[in-house]
């Protein structure tokens, strides 16, 4: 038997449970799952005992802030993709709100190259919708799509494309290259100075309210716009029960609308703000238990297509300050799978095949990573699938310690909280980026 293409040895994964099903062996060779079955071996190949581990296709994040270029004090492509690998990810989409903004072919190609150099996972840049995220004129969408980075998702994330005419034009423009516009739905006037979900908690704490309608009004408008021009809309970080209802309605019409939810919105509520700890300050804000229940139900029934982290690293000085002035955002790459395990699997809402679908298969389709001339993600772990996978140990619970994270930032809302499970290994095209829960330097 061949031991591979010469550059990398084959791997025999022994006794893993693909998608949580029956245990089997997997041989990874030449970047693909070369064989599956019982009692497999590979001459010269290394063996990984995966007894009791669940094998999932490598996770795909549609929403990551890698902060480079410009805010390397918060994160870099190298540290952010290392964090992604430790979380089980093999592909991430890097949001465009860098400094400079990723609004030209030059900037998106720079980020794409930094990702290739880092080697921990595939980095697909998201292009800005408007030049400089200024919301005034469209960025060079076609040039970014045609660039080496092959941008397919466009978003002004961090800001809402508030102008309905610009949003319509962007939706029309991306049709030419099968792109999608990902909207950060936040009506600006309804959220001026807003700090926390508008409701009982914001009133009690004296923090300016962020009403659900500020999100839902934009989601509804954009669903209607996407239908009007027959284009693809993706709704970022859905956070309210009302948004879930609107998206369910849009999908029932057959409109091309997809949506994501973050791990933190699946597990945490606005009651945590009672501590005034800005680690819980995030955009969109944490909502109520009723919203969390609706988001979980929406993810379970497929109304919400996928989980996306909105990993938003910030340095200490921007977070460890008063609530009012602290930055919005939470890290998430290194805890996402464990949070989904607790919020969706332990509750019986999703099985592991469902987790694979919502964290790998569907985001790969939305990000156009499902194989049309691109490196493949979201495969089924069958023979011939790309050898992008994560091995996850579902047993045990452990407290989250951000000091052990590869992310350059520490603003995890799960710090000190016990979560189930552990990412044991991650493979990118048959090469381990993570082994025994630790970064495998050889991959970089
Ligand atoms: Zn956002
Ligand atoms: Zn974001």
């Amino acid at each position: 038997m061949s031991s591979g293409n010469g550059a990398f040895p084959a791997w025999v994964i022994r006794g893993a449970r693909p998608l949580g099903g029956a245990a089997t062996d997997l041989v990874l060779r030449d970047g693909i799952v070369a064989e599956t079955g019982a009692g497999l071996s590979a001459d010269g190949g290394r063996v990984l005992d995966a007894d009791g581990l669940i094998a999932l296709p490598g996770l795909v994040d549609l929403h990551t802030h890698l902060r480079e270029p410009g805010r390397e004090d918060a994160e870099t492509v190298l540290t952010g993709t290392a964090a992604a690998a430790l979380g089980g990810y093999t592909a991430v989409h890097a949001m465009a709100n860098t400094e400079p903004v990723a609004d030209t072919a030059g900037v998106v190609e720079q980020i794409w190259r930094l990702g290739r150099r880092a080697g921990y996972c595939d980095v697909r840049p998201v292009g800005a919708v408007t030049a400089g995220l200024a919301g005034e004129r469209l960025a060079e969408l076609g040039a970014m799509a045609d660039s080496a980075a092959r941008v397919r998702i466009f978003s002004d994330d961090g800001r809402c494309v508030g102008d309905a005419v610009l949003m319509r034009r962007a939706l029309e423009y991306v049709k030419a290259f099968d792109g999608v516009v990902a909207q950060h739905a936040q009506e600006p006037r309804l959220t001026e100075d807003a700090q926390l979900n508008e409701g009982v908690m914001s009133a009690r704490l004296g923090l300016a309210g962020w009403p659900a309608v500020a999100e839902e009004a934009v989601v509804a408008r954009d669903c209607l716009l996407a239908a009007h021009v027959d284009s693809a809309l993706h709704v970022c970080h859905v956070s309210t029960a009302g948004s879930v209802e609107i998206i369910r309605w849009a999908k029932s019409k057959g409109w091309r609308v997809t949506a994501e939810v973050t791990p933190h919105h699946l597990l945490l509520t606005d009651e945590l703000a009672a501590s005034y700890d800005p680690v819980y300050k995030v955009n969109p804000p944490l909502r109520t238990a009723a919203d969390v229940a609706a988001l979980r139900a929406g993810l379970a029934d497929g109304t919400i297509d996928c989980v996306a982290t909105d990993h938003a690293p910030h340095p200490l000085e921007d977070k460890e300050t008063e609530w009012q002035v602290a930055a919005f955002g939470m890290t998430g790459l290194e805890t996402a799978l464990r949070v989904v395990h607790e919020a969706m699997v332990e509750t019986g809402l999703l099985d592991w095949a469902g987790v694979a679908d919502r964290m790998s298969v569907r985001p790969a389709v939305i990000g156009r990573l499902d194989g049309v001339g691109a490196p493949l993600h979201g495969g089924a772990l069958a023979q011939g699938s790309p050898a992008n996978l994560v091995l996850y140990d579902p047993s045990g619970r452990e407290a989250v310690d951000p000091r052990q994270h590869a992310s350059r930032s520490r603003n995890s809302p799960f710090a000190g909280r016990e979560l189930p499970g552990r990412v044991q290994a991650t493979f990118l095209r048959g090469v381990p980026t993570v082994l025994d829960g630790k970064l495998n330097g050889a991959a970089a």
Side-chain angles (χ1 to χ4, degrees):
M1 262 190 219
S2 157
S3 63
N5 58 12
F8 302 107
W11 279 86
V12 182
I13 314 287
R14 209 174 283 297
R17 297 167 52 207
L19 312 187
T24 185
D25 296 348
L26 302 165
V27 174
L28 314 182
R29 189 191 298 123
D30 298 334
I32 63 166
V33 178
E35 293 173 76
T36 66
L40 299 179
S41 61
D43 280 352
R46 296 182 61 182
V47 175
L48 192 157
D49 177 10
D51 187 33
L53 304 185
I54 289 163
L56 302 174
L59 308 183
V60 175
D61 195 13
L62 287 178
H63 194 145
T64 309
H65 295 274
L66 293 178
R67 302 295 191 217
E68 188 176 4
R71 285 306 302 267
E72 292 83 355
D73 57 327
E75 197 79 284
T76 66
V77 172
L78 181 65
T79 60
T81 55
L86 284 166
Y89 287 87
T90 52
V92 299
H93 291 75
M95 275 298 173
N97 63 337
T98 48
E99 300 167 19
V101 171
D103 59 0
T104 65
V107 178
V108 294
E109 285 188 352
Q110 178 194 354
I111 294 161
W112 177 73
R113 286 205 182 85
L114 286 168
R116 300 228 319 178
R117 198 175 305 156
Y120 285 117
C121 62
D122 288 339
V123 173
R124 292 294 300 268
V126 172
V129 173
T130 68
L133 306 179
E136 286 165 6
R137 61 181 175 83
L138 288 187
E140 300 170 8
L141 308 185
M144 289 189 275
D146 290 342
S147 75
R150 301 180 62 254
V151 175
R152 289 295 178 275
I153 300 181
F154 296 87
S155 182
D156 273 3
D157 182 60
R159 296 191 192 168
C160 183
V161 180
D163 184 316
V165 173
L166 269 178
M167 189 64 186
R168 174 190 176 153
R169 286 207 193 110
L171 285 163
E172 287 174 325
Y173 201 103
V174 300
K175 288 171 72 175
F177 36 83
D178 190 30
V180 56
V181 180
Q183 175 71 293
H184 169 115
Q186 178 190 351
E187 211 291 317
R189 292 272 291 141
L190 286 171
T191 53
E192 276 174 19
D193 304 319
Q195 296 288 324
L196 185 66
N197 177 52
E198 182 180 294
V200 175
M201 284 308 294
S202 65
R204 207 180 98 198
L205 301 178
L207 293 171
W210 186 310
V213 66
E215 173 174 309
E216 293 155 4
V218 175
V219 172
R221 181 202 75 176
D222 289 351
C223 286
L224 293 165
L225 281 174
H228 184 59
V229 301
D230 186 27
S231 186
L233 168 73
H234 180 73
V235 183
C236 294
H237 41 54
V238 173
S239 73
T240 77
S243 293
V244 177
E245 280 303 305
I246 293 163
I247 292 161
R248 191 175 282 125
W249 169 74
K251 286 192 166 188
S252 77
K253 298 278 198 184
W255 299 345
R256 296 166 62 200
V257 175
T258 57
E260 69 189 32
V261 61
T262 71
H264 46 271
H265 288 108
L266 288 172
L267 197 60
L268 308 179
T269 69
D270 59 355
E271 302 212 344
L272 290 164
S275 64
Y276 288 101
D277 184 342
V279 80
Y280 302 116
K281 183 174 175 179
V282 68
N283 177 351
L286 299 177
R287 304 284 188 180
T288 67
D291 293 302
V292 169
L295 294 167
R296 290 180 179 186
L299 184 64
D301 73 17
T303 301
I304 298 176
D305 298 80
C306 62
V307 175
T309 66
D310 198 5
H311 176 82
H314 290 289
L316 280 183
E317 61 268 28
D318 292 349
K319 280 303 262 191
E320 296 200 344
T321 175
E322 277 179 63
W323 181 287
Q324 301 277 357
V325 295
F328 290 95
M330 302 170 165
T331 60
L333 287 167
E334 288 165 86
T335 47
L337 183 52
R338 299 172 67 197
V339 172
V340 171
H341 182 182
E342 174 162 325
M344 301 301 293
V345 181
E346 290 190 337
T347 53
L349 290 165
L350 283 181
D351 58 15
W352 290 108
V355 172
D357 183 70
R358 306 302 197 275
M359 296 187 80
S360 178
V361 179
R362 291 215 212 181
V365 171
I366 294 166
R368 313 297 188 248
L369 286 172
D370 50 335
V372 189
L376 288 151
H377 290 274
L381 298 184
Q383 197 170 325
S385 292
N388 299 323
L389 64 141
V390 50
L391 297 172
Y392 182 72
D393 181 354
S395 68
R397 297 181 75 86
E398 204 180 337
V400 174
D401 181 1
R403 289 170 303 181
Q404 294 177 3
H405 287 176
S407 171
R408 184 162 281 182
S409 292
R410 298 285 173 265
N411 52 307
S412 168
F414 306 108
R417 184 186 178 116
E418 277 198 357
L419 290 174
R422 181 173 195 258
V423 171
Q424 199 69 20
T426 309
F427 284 82
L428 176 64
R429 285 183 282 281
V431 180
T433 54
V434 172
L435 280 178
D436 197 22
K438 297 183 182 65
L439 282 176
N440 185 39

